[in-house]
Amino acid sequence: IKGLFIAVGAEGTLLTSSDGANWTAQTSGTSNNLRAVAYGNSTLVVVGFSGTILTSSDGTTWTSRTSGTTNGLGNVTYGNSTFMAVGNSGTILTSSDGTTWSSKTSGTSEDLWGVTYGNSTWVTNGDNGSIFTSSDGTSWDNRTSASGTTVELNEVIYENSTFVAFGYSGTILTSSDGITWTSRTSGTTNKVHSGTFGNNIFVTVGDNGTILTSSDAITWTAKTLGTTDKLDGIAYGNSTYVTVGDDGIIFSSTDTNTWTSRTSGTSKHFRRVFYKE
């Protein structure tokens, strides 16, 4: 299926949309909190609490997979022909197909919340400013000292030849290689939870309706959404930015300046939204 937004959240909440405006609830088959979505190898993968992993070929019918862990999984990505999920207590799982998963040794007990692949490098981040990198997904190097922070890092993305990490206290870090990191001035002390890149703009969202945009990930500008709710997820696709958050809120925008509230049909907290091209 082409062009699909997928929003996931508390108690198995899973919604899909082709345009970011009209949303349909799907049956996830779990009551566990869902945290993140990835797509690769013709397969959608969703991860969540208690080691939850779900897969789907169409976004409508979901199948539970055996993760081999009961640890919470905070994020998942697809790169280098591999799915990688990360989670509590340094959990790292990999899979080629989304169905069969194997555990990797991260060398940390920190809770991991973000993961991405770019520039031939895997990067994961998490609690206490922790950052780890790997070239093969198996052997990991600790780059935490380079983060320059002890706050919780919630996400890391690789876009426009740049790694960008987002975290508590308005923390935004950038890196070209995942090894050397530079702190950027976000202009907010609110937690920022998620980031995306679309139409040549980086966008991050966070607490109290925080939305920041940047063309280079270095200089950030605050935008007004019109809510004080916590925003947890942001995605770009179909010429549309979509952000999701607490209490079932969904907003969409074509330019990051004007945002329209959308009906989700739920009051559950969303954690992330993802766009499958």
Side-chain angles (χ1 to χ4, degrees):
I1 187 166
K2 296 195 72 169
L4 192 69
F5 288 99
I6 301 155
V8 297
E11 298 175 29
T13 300
L14 196 158
L15 277 65
T16 59
S17 172
S18 59
D19 57 7
N22 301 287
W23 293 82
T24 303
Q26 306 293 349
T27 302
S28 67
T30 182
S31 59
N32 289 326
N33 292 350
L34 302 177
R35 305 286 295 182
V37 190
Y39 178 80
N41 197 11
S42 304
T43 304
L44 286 158
V45 172
V46 168
V47 301
F49 282 15
S50 304
T52 299
I53 297 180
L54 312 174
T55 66
S56 175
S57 59
D58 58 8
T60 301
T61 303
W62 293 86
T63 303
S64 178
R65 303 299 182 182
T66 301
S67 66
T69 183
T70 56
N71 287 335
L73 298 174
N75 216 327
V76 62
T77 193
Y78 184 82
N80 199 28
S81 303
T82 304
F83 288 102
M84 182 176 290
V86 300
N88 291 354
S89 304
T91 299
I92 295 181
L93 308 176
T94 62
S95 173
S96 60
D97 57 8
T99 301
T100 305
W101 293 80
S102 61
S103 177
K104 303 298 180 183
T105 302
S106 63
T108 183
S109 59
E110 300 282 7
D111 292 346
L112 301 174
W113 301 113
V115 63
T116 193
Y117 181 82
N119 195 16
S120 302
T121 305
W122 293 98
V123 177
T124 181
N125 61 11
D127 282 359
N128 298 304
S130 57
I131 298 177
F132 301 87
T133 66
S134 174
S135 58
D136 58 8
T138 300
S139 300
W140 292 84
D141 292 307
N142 191 334
R143 310 294 185 185
T144 303
S145 61
S147 76
T149 183
T150 56
V151 304
E152 179 179 314
L153 299 175
N154 294 310
E155 184 148 81
V156 58
I157 62 174
Y158 183 79
E159 297 286 356
N160 200 29
S161 302
T162 307
F163 290 101
V164 188
F166 306 94
Y168 280 22
S169 305
T171 300
I172 298 177
L173 311 174
T174 64
S175 173
S176 60
D177 56 10
I179 299 168
T180 303
W181 293 83
T182 303
S183 178
R184 303 302 181 181
T185 301
S186 67
T188 183
T189 56
N190 288 324
K191 301 172 185 175
V192 284
H193 297 288
S194 188
T196 193
F197 181 79
N199 196 26
N200 298 312
I201 300 173
F202 289 94
V203 186
T204 183
V205 298
D207 285 3
N208 300 312
T210 298
I211 293 191
L212 310 174
T213 64
S214 175
S215 59
D216 56 9
I218 297 170
T219 304
W220 294 83
T221 303
K223 302 289 184 174
T224 302
L225 181 68
T227 182
T228 55
D229 266 319
K230 183 171 84 164
L231 301 174
D232 271 312
I234 177 83
Y236 179 83
N238 193 22
S239 302
T240 304
Y241 301 90
V242 173
T243 183
V244 301
D246 280 4
D247 306 316
I249 60 171
I250 299 178
F251 289 84
S252 67
S253 174
T254 55
D255 60 7
T256 74
N257 292 312
T258 304
W259 294 83
T260 303
S261 178
R262 303 302 183 177
T263 301
S264 70
T266 182
S267 60
K268 303 294 187 197
H269 293 348
F270 287 114
R271 178 56 186 92
R272 275 191 180 85
V273 60
F274 176 84
Y275 184 76
K276 177 211 161 300
E277 294 181 1

